[in-house]
Amino acid sequence: VFGHPLWTFVLGHAPLLRSPFFPVLFSLCVYLSFCLPFLLLDALSTRWAWVLRYKLQPQSSVSWSSVRRCLALTLYNHLVFIFPLTVLHWYLRPVHLTEEAPPLPRLLAQVLVCLLLFDFQSFAWHLLHHRVPWLYRTFHKVHHTYTSTSALTAEYSGTWETLSLGLFAAANPLLLGCHPLTELAFFVVNIWLSVEDHCGYDLPWATHRLVPLGLYGGARHHDLHHLKSKCNFAPYFTHWDRLAGTLQTQD
């Protein structure tokens, strides 16, 4: 029942969804919308102590020059590399929109499975790029330009990293045979969690505080990775780092 009105609304914009421009516009708009509240916090943190108290690295600040650099690289990767690939994908595999919405339990379960798969893929990819010096220097070092995370650093990465992680995210719903609405929901959740991971704030309502037993690392978990570089390789959950002995929970 939950998905039917939402899917009916989505179907009302079917020409946009079938457009080769939609994936790039969708990902950019969702990403920048999620970054905006944290950019506002960054601006307020220099003036209000109650904001600064939640900042993971209070001694650091976000400059407008770093904001411009992050935005420029994100737009460059999307326009020069992601857009041509989405056009090719659109040509080879046209969008098929079914009339029926997925049941809510199935949607939620498949979004969770997609997240768990992406978490494992990213963990293995990330660990490999840190353990092989050539891979780190050639591909992953760009993402570690900033040791203090902020929302826009979530997509501050080179072309290879952007495309390979994007491939994982795009492939998982296809592997599971997800409904297009489930696929959209996964993309939204995945983008949000990535932005929150890099936001640089440990807020009272942060995702890791809502998930029990320390199963989810969140912004504090990933900020330690950028600070130390030798721990916390999984983007979201903590079980892979725990098994690999690379989990660190304190400075």
Side-chain angles (χ1 to χ4, degrees):
V1 176
F2 165 81
H4 288 283
L6 182 57
W7 186 236
T8 300
F9 172 79
V10 171
L11 285 177
H13 298 80
L16 175 62
L17 267 70
R18 292 193 175 100
S19 164
F21 300 98
F22 176 74
V24 171
L25 289 173
F26 177 79
S27 63
L28 272 176
C29 289
V30 171
Y31 175 65
L32 295 176
S33 297
F34 287 157
C35 287
L36 274 175
F38 297 113
L39 289 174
L40 179 60
L41 286 181
D42 290 332
L44 293 175
S45 67
T46 59
R47 298 174 176 84
W48 293 353
W50 69 268
V51 176
L52 193 62
R53 66 187 288 195
Y54 297 115
K55 195 168 174 60
L56 289 164
Q57 296 188 42
Q59 77 285 353
S60 67
S61 60
V62 178
S63 67
W64 287 113
S65 62
S66 70
V67 168
R68 286 194 297 271
R69 282 197 301 271
C70 289
L71 281 173
L73 185 56
T74 297
L75 292 172
Y76 173 77
N77 283 333
H78 276 76
L79 296 177
V80 176
F81 297 103
I82 297 176
F83 177 61
L85 288 172
T86 58
V87 171
L88 179 64
H89 183 266
W90 166 82
Y91 178 76
L92 296 175
R93 188 177 178 271
V95 176
H96 175 65
L97 302 175
T98 62
E99 292 296 324
E100 293 295 318
L104 180 59
R106 184 192 303 165
L107 184 150
L108 294 176
Q110 288 186 328
V111 167
L112 178 59
V113 173
C114 284
L115 281 174
L116 289 169
L117 276 174
F118 181 80
D119 190 69
F120 168 69
Q121 293 157 342
S122 298
F123 169 78
W125 184 100
H126 199 179
L127 186 63
L128 183 66
H129 281 68
H130 273 267
R131 293 292 166 85
V132 179
W134 179 81
L135 289 176
Y136 181 84
R137 289 194 309 270
T138 309
F139 300 115
H140 188 50
K141 188 178 179 181
V142 173
H143 187 62
H144 279 269
T145 300
Y146 300 100
T147 55
S148 176
T149 54
S150 59
L152 286 171
T153 61
E155 293 194 5
Y156 191 80
S157 54
T159 304
W160 164 252
E161 181 163 359
T162 299
L163 294 180
S164 55
L165 294 178
L167 176 64
F168 296 152
N172 290 339
L174 295 179
L175 291 173
L176 293 174
C178 292
H179 187 280
L181 184 61
T182 306
E183 192 174 355
L184 287 175
F186 165 62
F187 289 155
V188 170
V189 172
N190 197 36
I191 293 170
W192 163 253
L193 294 179
S194 178
V195 169
E196 189 193 40
D197 254 14
H198 291 83
C199 73
Y201 293 90
D202 188 5
L203 298 166
W205 53 84
T207 306
H208 76 92
R209 295 183 181 275
L210 306 177
V211 179
L213 306 175
L215 297 174
Y216 187 89
R220 179 174 290 280
H221 175 86
H222 197 68
D223 188 75
L224 277 173
H225 170 73
H226 276 261
L227 194 60
K228 306 278 187 178
S229 195
K230 297 183 184 297
C231 62
N232 302 352
F233 296 102
Y236 306 140
F237 301 97
T238 58
H239 54 276
W240 291 116
D241 279 301
R242 201 179 301 275
L243 288 169
T246 54
L247 181 66
Q248 186 170 339
T249 57
Q250 296 179 348
D251 296 351

